[in-house]
Structures are given as structure tokens and as C-alpha cells.
Amino acid sequence: MSELQTKCDVIGYTLNGNRYLNITNRCTLRCAFCPKFNGEWTVRDHDLRLMRDPPIEKIIEAAGAPGDYKEIVFCGLGEPTMRLYTLIEAASHLRSRGARVRLNTDGLANLVYGRDVTSDLNNVVDSLSISLNAQDRDTYNRHCRPKLSGAYESVLDFARRARDFVPQITLTAVDGLPGVDIGACRKVADDIGVNFRHRVLGVVG
Ligand code: SF4
């Protein structure tokens, strides 16, 4: 039997009492530090390479019983808002069954869709974890290699606008990347009035 036939896409996986949902491998960014650009698709023993974007029925099935988890986290290895409308439908369904939903995002959905989508998240996600990744545009562009111009400013604007619709917002940055000043990243978050968390390279959570 070929590798193709034996491979089963990992849509849901459990870490630290949370259920993570891998709904697409597509991204707007091409982060130099991303495992997938370094030929490494495995996160904590889960191979997150998808043969195709899973349909909503498979996503909901992969989420399991919401009551079994602290949070259901739309995560990746990819950017969940590339499938914004599927994400909204799945998250709304899971929330109606009692799930607490977190979205881990690059914060670029407004730029990608050409409109402010933050109100779409109202009563859909309970918390947002937004990858700030750097304290300024040049450092961000160097590490994240965005395909669209104005990406860094768009992330900041997304975070500001989302405050009206999502109760808990956290900006994140990866510790240890050259030129990334974690203290300065924290100040960016403080200035916007949201939380900050630094992440460890290669660790999902
Ligand atoms: S946003 Fe995440 S999944 Fe996409 S390229 Fe960057 S690190 Fe990789």
C-alpha cells in the first residue's frame, strides 16, 4: 500500500487538555521559522500536513465532545482564517454545544478579505491569539515574509478592532528570533490594551 493510501489527515489533536483543529495548511505568511518551510510538518508527534482542506463535517467530528476539553483551538499548521466562513460555522456550532473557542491567527484576515471581518467573530470565538511576531514592520517582514503589503500595520489594526467583539485577546511573539525584542513586543500589546505572551520556537499551545 502506498504512503498516499495509508496517510490519514490529522484534523484534531489534543495537547495540554485542549483540542486543536488543523483546518488548512494555507497561509498568507511564509514565516522563515515555520516548521513547514523547513520540511518539518510534525508537531508533538502529529503530522499536520493535510492532503486537502477538510470539510466542515470532518472538522466538527474531529473536535470530539467539547466538554472533554478546556478549549477548542483553531490553529493549523496554517492560517485558519483562510477558511473564514467554514471556521465561523464550525466554531458557532461547537460553541452552541458548550465549547470555549480560541482562534490562533496571523491577524491578517482584514487584509485578505478586503474588509473588517472582526465583527464576524462576535459570539463566535471567546479568545484570540494573534501572532504579532515582532515589534516593528521591518523585523516582522524579515521573519514572516508576508505576501501582501501593509501586513504588520494590518495585524495591529485587526487587534484594535477585535477588542469590540472578542472578550480575550493576546498578542504573541516567538522568543529567540534574531532582532525580536520581546519587551518591545509586550509594549505594543500594552499600548493596544491587550494581553501578551511570548512563545517558544516550535512549541504549539
Ligand atoms: S503563520 Fe504560522 S503556519 Fe503560517 S507560515 Fe507563519 S508560522 Fe507557518
Side-chain angles (χ1 to χ4, degrees):
M1 194 174 281
S2 72
E3 188 184 342
L4 190 68
Q5 287 171 303
T6 56
K7 183 176 186 324
C8 182
D9 285 350
V10 175
I11 304 168
Y13 56 100
T14 302
L15 282 178
N16 305 324
N18 298 326
R19 186 72 173 164
Y20 288 80
L21 296 177
N22 174 34
I23 70 170
T24 186
N25 283 161
R26 290 179 285 134
C27 274
T28 312
L29 299 174
R30 296 165 292 188
C31 303
F33 56 85
C34 181
K36 72 180 183 179
F37 290 116
N38 296 305
E40 178 55 75
W41 289 84
T42 303
V43 173
R44 304 267 192 105
D45 296 333
H46 302 293
D47 181 354
L48 299 183
R49 181 163 210 157
L50 296 169
M51 302 303 289
R52 60 190 66 82
D53 285 353
I56 189 165
E57 299 77 22
K58 292 285 183 194
I59 295 169
I60 288 169
E61 184 184 317
D68 291 348
Y69 306 103
K70 293 186 288 187
E71 285 185 309
I72 304 287
V73 186
F74 288 82
C75 184
L77 204 58
E79 170 51 39
T81 62
M82 296 296 277
R83 301 187 69 196
L84 182 65
Y85 303 103
T86 301
L87 158 69
I88 289 170
E89 195 177 338
S92 299
H93 174 85
L94 292 168
R95 256 180 125 246
S96 75
R97 289 169 46 203
R100 177 182 163 81
V101 173
R102 168 159 48 113
L103 168 60
N104 287 3
T105 179
D106 58 14
L108 291 170
N110 289 354
L111 194 60
V112 168
Y113 290 90
R115 68 179 183 88
D116 180 6
V117 308
T118 54
S119 64
D120 294 17
L121 303 178
N122 192 31
N123 293 323
V124 170
V125 302
D126 298 282
S127 68
L128 271 177
S129 179
I130 305 171
S131 299
L132 175 68
N133 284 332
Q135 69 281 0
D136 58 59
R137 179 178 50 202
D138 288 349
T139 310
Y140 180 89
N141 286 347
R142 182 151 53 95
H143 288 296
C144 299
R145 305 183 295 191
K147 297 173 193 165
L148 301 173
S149 62
Y152 186 70
E153 291 75 12
S154 188
V155 173
L156 300 181
D157 188 58
F158 180 87
R160 280 190 206 99
R161 290 174 184 268
R163 293 175 305 184
D164 290 338
F165 304 107
V166 180
Q168 190 179 344
I169 300 176
T170 302
L171 296 187
T172 69
V174 178
D175 209 353
L177 291 180
V180 172
D181 181 336
I182 292 295
C185 290
R186 185 183 299 279
K187 178 156 188 337
V188 171
D190 287 347
D191 290 346
I192 295 175
V194 298
N195 301 315
F196 178 78
R197 183 170 65 91
H198 67 90
R199 295 183 289 124
V200 176
L201 194 59
V203 175
V204 173

